[in-house]
Amino acid sequence: MERSGAGPAERIAERRSGAGDPRALVGEMRRAVLLVPMTGDRLWSARMGGVRWIHGFTDEVALARFVRHHLPGDEPVEYATLLGARIVDEIVPALGEPAGLAVDIATEDGAMFFPPVVGIVPESAAVDTGEASEVRA
């Protein structure tokens, strides 16, 4: 049963428990304002498995959890507030390499990865467009 008013963290929890609609999760991610830590003038990202993952957080608590694990001391961290849609529709394609969005990665049992595939990122930035074309043919 779909809950109205569920935020991205709640939708992630639903999917991780095996419930919820994956399309609703992607839609919620696209509408969500995410906090993206900055390193200098760049968005924080890391490469893993051949993909550059931009790190986004659903709130300041989730961001602080990440910062405690990855940055020394109590230095303040600057962050950008971006719509999930802007990240996957504009920033990911501009990187010129396979890239996706990793949300709340420091939250135990609360992280979700949005890979560079059709339906999440524009087809021009998706890594599965060749497979999708073959299926349609």
Side-chain angles (χ1 to χ4, degrees):
M1 179 175 183
E2 291 297 317
R3 295 181 305 160
S4 62
E10 291 84 9
R11 291 273 188 225
I12 289 170
E14 286 174 354
R15 285 304 303 147
R16 290 182 65 92
S17 72
D21 179 357
R23 291 171 301 197
L25 174 60
V26 171
E28 190 63 41
M29 173 274 295
R30 294 181 61 76
R31 290 184 296 277
V33 174
L34 298 172
L35 311 178
V36 182
M38 305 287 293
T39 59
D41 62 347
R42 296 183 153 187
L43 301 177
W44 187 295
S45 66
R47 281 192 182 90
M48 183 178 75
V51 175
R52 176 171 292 282
W53 296 98
I54 297 170
H55 297 22
F57 299 90
T58 55
D59 58 33
E60 288 181 339
V61 173
L63 174 59
R65 194 175 300 118
F66 172 79
V67 169
R68 277 195 307 273
H69 286 46
H70 294 282
L71 296 175
D74 292 332
E75 294 287 323
V77 173
E78 291 194 33
Y79 59 87
T81 55
L82 300 167
L83 281 175
R86 181 160 185 227
I87 296 169
V88 296
D89 290 346
E90 296 175 27
I91 296 169
V92 163
L95 292 174
E97 65 180 302
L101 175 61
V103 176
D104 288 350
I105 62 168
T107 302
E108 187 175 335
D109 297 327
M112 184 62 64
F113 289 80
F114 295 89
V117 296
V118 173
I120 295 177
V121 301
E123 193 168 316
S124 64
V127 296
D128 64 338
T129 55
E131 296 169 21
S133 298
E134 293 173 15
V135 171
R136 285 187 215 131

